Amino acid sequence: MFHRNIKLIIAGLIIITGIWQFTESNIGNGIFLIILSAIPIFLYFKNEFILLAFLKLRKQDFEGAKKWLAHIKNPETALVQKQQGYFNYLHGIMLSQTNINQAEKYFKKAIELGLSMDMDLAVAKLNLAGVAMTRRRKLEATTLLNEAKKLDKQNMLKDQIVMMKEQMKKI
């Protein structure tokens, strides 16, 4: 995995080559190179390994997702801030199955770095509410559940939120 700015340098070199092709009257090559430069620019904002990890998670293949995320050696230099949030979010989702303490750390870091979609933020807060509930921190769990409910605009997490509120009554 290389530094994120290398992708921009590659895109710049491809654009310069495309412009050079225009000046040499090779219009087709120039157009193709300009269009081709969109790939490294896209991959600057959407990391390829995070996209592949999301695809593995859609198939419930946690080991495959871990393998793709392991390719990112140094997330601070390889990823922009939102991607770092999703990197931590994915680790939190995978660890929530086995190690809830470590998952809490990843979810808090993901929320701190920021997530683009409200649904992802709602899932992270819902998981943090579950961790707070298991540690008998009812006030924190209630706050996180209310925040998750506000963020869940399509009511996809409605059943889980209602179930957690019922479980909190028992605490």
Side-chain angles (χ1 to χ4, degrees):
M1 192 73 214
F2 45 86
H3 198 279
R4 64 180 173 259
N5 291 337
I6 292 176
K7 295 175 185 175
L8 292 178
I9 292 169
I10 291 170
L13 290 173
I14 293 173
I15 289 172
I16 290 170
T17 307
I19 293 170
W20 174 70
Q21 287 293 308
F22 282 128
T23 61
E24 295 291 319
S25 297
N26 295 324
I27 306 300
N29 289 348
I31 292 171
F32 174 73
L33 288 170
I34 298 295
I35 292 171
L36 185 68
S37 69
I39 293 172
I41 293 170
F42 172 75
L43 293 177
Y44 175 80
F45 293 106
K46 304 286 183 191
N47 186 274
E48 60 273 13
F49 294 121
I50 292 178
L51 291 174
L52 291 168
F54 267 118
L55 287 175
K56 288 292 185 179
L57 276 180
R58 287 185 82 178
K59 297 177 182 177
Q60 299 294 320
D61 182 11
F62 290 102
E63 290 303 315
K66 283 182 186 176
K67 186 177 82 171
W68 283 117
L69 286 178
H71 288 298
I72 303 173
K73 302 292 185 228
N74 191 356
E76 288 78 28
T77 60
L79 306 172
V80 294
Q81 185 174 354
K82 291 275 187 190
Q83 291 174 348
Q84 290 176 34
Y86 277 100
F87 178 80
N88 288 302
Y89 173 72
L90 287 172
H91 274 290
I93 287 176
M94 289 184 290
L95 286 172
S96 66
Q97 307 293 320
T98 56
N99 188 348
I100 198 79
N101 294 329
Q102 216 172 8
E104 178 186 21
K105 179 182 80 166
Y106 280 114
F107 281 127
K108 284 184 178 179
K109 184 80 170 167
I111 290 171
E112 175 187 322
L113 289 169
L115 298 170
S116 299
M117 297 179 62
D118 286 343
M119 189 64 194
D120 296 331
L121 198 54
V123 169
K125 289 187 184 231
L126 184 66
N127 279 302
L128 283 175
V131 171
M133 196 170 67
T134 59
R135 293 190 175 155
R136 305 234 181 248
R137 297 186 304 219
K138 190 173 182 178
L139 184 62
E140 181 183 351
T142 306
T143 305
L144 287 166
L145 274 177
N146 290 334
E147 290 174 11
K149 188 175 183 178
K150 286 179 194 170
L151 291 168
D152 184 28
K153 293 177 177 46
Q154 288 87 21
N155 289 330
M156 293 177 70
L157 299 174
K158 183 180 179 183
D159 295 337
Q160 288 88 346
I161 292 171
V162 169
M163 184 176 63
M164 287 186 89
K165 284 186 177 182
E166 289 296 321
Q167 289 176 351
M168 274 199 322
K169 290 177 183 176
K170 297 174 185 175
I171 295 177

